[in-house]
Amino acid sequence: MTWVWSCSHVGHSKDKSNRRFLRLAQDRLFDSFSRDETARDFAQDDTSLTLHGGFVKRIFCALIAAILAGRVGFAQVTATAPATVPLPSTASAASQGGAGKTMLLWPSGAPGALGDADEDKPTLTVFLPVKENATKTGVVVAPGGSYTHVAMEKEGFAFARWLNERGVAAFVLQYRLGPKYHHPIEIGDAQRAIRMVRAHADEWGVATDHVGMWGSSAGGHLAATAGTKFDWGNKDASDVVEQQGSRPDFLILSYPVITFHEPDLHRNSLKYLLGDTPDPALVDSLSAETQVTKDTPPSFLCATTDDKTVPVMNSVMFYSALVKAGVPVEMHIFQHGAHGAGLAAGNPALSDWPDLLAKWMRERGYMATAAQ
């Protein structure tokens, strides 16, 4: 039996705080059930959730009711403000500082900001490994969420811990989102994050030519855009961050959104990034498979054939474009697996993919071998 629970009466409320809590509750609930991929599948957009099973529906409804009644608080688990104590969602023995250090991308205010709330302040949460970062590699991590929310735990903090456990620094990006913000705000946030890592390279133990970007779903589109639309920095800028180049040295794309063309586009990502009536020229410009050149970074892609949310052809098209441009690329396509699997620790069909990524990073010198 399939339950469809409409959130439109809350999601479109004039009460912005309720709307923000709702989206965070959705994200946290999905993270909680992510280990049981075979028992649960869902489709998500900004107005409704499709959940399989009455038990899950009852939990979700109770959770939302508790939030709006003021019984449950999520302020301490957002990624947009520093935590006062290490939190379960980000604490790791492999990471310095437990919850990491969250910093504003623009301390004096982000360009194009439409307010002064948390959602108007893009941030970077720094996760430095306890073990030696022998390859001096850092990875900016962009969680997915259709450009309208971010799966901060599953595709952000969890990836950061995984990297830290293998001696790689990680920097989780909270970028600005639709429908409030549209292109080019999101790519501007991503470019600033890459520049910031390079500007702090000595402090964070990272080499400026070992800064990659890992994106999932819509975050994968953001990473692919960063890898196809970049500059080498403004050496005359007074801001040392803006002096740095924004090209990632490598890309990791897990089940990414790539194209905005029919028939393989992800409509919600298109809608929330470009609005309801986007300029066709902009649609083409932001279809990453059309923007690949010989300067696009080496890439690793992972996807599943039966992904019902983002068609696997998104990954195939980007892979094909990279091959044609002569860019080193490795792609792994699994037959089965729902969209948004994250590290897939509880999914035997997909759980090997992080090991394949680690192998690729070691071969390219972005992760230390066991001997190192």
Side-chain angles (χ1 to χ4, degrees):
M1 178 178 294
T2 300
W3 294 89
V4 179
W5 193 85
S6 175
C7 300
S8 59
H9 65 290
V10 177
H12 296 282
S13 166
K14 294 181 180 178
D15 186 337
K16 293 182 179 179
S17 61
N18 281 354
R19 184 173 181 176
R20 182 163 60 89
F21 285 155
L22 171 65
R23 285 182 176 163
L24 183 56
Q26 291 174 7
D27 185 30
R28 301 296 291 180
L29 180 66
F30 292 152
D31 289 343
S32 298
F33 285 88
S34 63
R35 293 180 179 272
D36 190 6
E37 297 284 353
T38 59
R40 181 273 294 134
D41 192 12
F42 61 83
Q44 178 176 346
D45 62 21
D46 68 316
T47 58
S48 65
L49 306 174
T50 303
L51 303 175
H52 291 257
F55 175 69
V56 176
K57 181 191 175 188
R58 288 193 295 273
I59 290 177
F60 182 75
C61 293
L63 179 60
I64 296 300
I67 292 169
L68 298 182
R71 298 189 186 98
V72 177
F74 281 94
Q76 284 189 315
V77 296
T78 65
T80 54
T84 55
V85 294
L87 299 169
S89 62
T90 57
S92 170
S95 301
Q96 296 180 24
K101 174 186 177 184
T102 298
M103 56 196 305
L104 295 172
L105 289 181
W106 285 276
S108 299
L114 299 176
D116 194 41
D118 285 349
E119 64 189 15
D120 304 304
K121 302 173 182 178
T123 62
L124 200 64
T125 301
V126 179
F127 287 81
L128 301 180
V130 170
K131 66 188 301 183
E132 180 188 5
N133 187 346
T135 63
K136 297 189 179 301
T137 299
V139 180
V140 174
V141 180
S146 301
Y147 282 114
T148 187
H149 64 280
V150 285
M152 189 57 73
E153 165 59 29
K154 191 175 185 181
E155 296 170 356
F157 297 150
F159 289 1
R161 291 194 299 268
W162 184 88
L163 289 164
N164 277 183
E165 288 161 3
R166 288 153 184 81
V168 176
F171 310 92
V172 182
L173 172 63
Q174 170 72 67
Y175 49 96
R176 286 171 285 180
L177 299 165
K180 187 172 185 178
Y181 291 99
H182 295 303
H183 176 79
I185 293 297
E186 290 83 355
I187 184 59
D189 292 350
Q191 291 172 337
R192 177 74 176 187
I194 295 167
R195 298 185 209 278
M196 182 166 284
V197 173
R198 290 197 168 111
H200 289 267
D202 289 342
E203 176 187 352
W204 294 337
V206 172
T208 57
D209 61 352
H210 273 211
V211 179
M213 188 166 184
W214 182 350
S216 304
S217 193
H221 180 268
L222 186 59
T225 304
T228 53
K229 296 183 181 299
F230 52 81
D231 62 57
W232 305 107
N234 180 3
K235 301 306 179 185
D236 296 325
S238 58
D239 181 356
V240 67
V241 176
E242 292 300 314
Q243 296 174 12
Q244 312 301 316
S246 67
R247 178 187 179 272
D249 294 302
F250 60 93
L251 296 176
I252 303 166
L253 306 177
S254 29
Y255 40 90
V257 174
I258 293 293
T259 190
F260 284 155
H261 292 306
E262 297 283 3
D264 297 308
L265 78 164
H266 181 247
R267 295 188 184 280
N268 274 357
S269 293
L270 171 63
K271 172 183 176 180
Y272 288 109
L273 183 64
L274 298 182
D276 293 325
T277 56
D279 181 345
L282 196 55
V283 168
D284 189 61
S285 176
L286 289 172
S287 293
E289 80 280 7
T290 71
Q291 305 299 307
V292 171
T293 72
K294 63 179 179 59
D295 294 321
T296 302
S299 301
F300 178 98
L301 294 97
C302 177
T304 60
T305 301
D306 57 9
D307 188 329
K308 298 298 190 296
T309 304
V310 175
V312 69
M313 290 307 296
N314 280 260
S315 293
V316 173
M317 285 188 287
F318 198 64
Y319 172 85
S320 179
L322 290 165
V323 171
K324 289 179 182 178
V327 176
V329 57
E330 181 169 313
M331 179 171 66
H332 296 273
I333 298 180
F334 294 81
Q335 181 177 357
H336 298 302
H339 186 73
L343 293 171
N347 186 338
L350 291 177
S351 58
D352 288 343
W353 93 259
D355 293 334
L356 296 170
L357 170 59
K359 177 177 178 290
W360 180 81
M361 292 183 71
R362 291 186 183 110
E363 288 172 350
R364 300 200 64 84
Y366 295 129
M367 183 180 288
T369 63
Q372 290 175 296

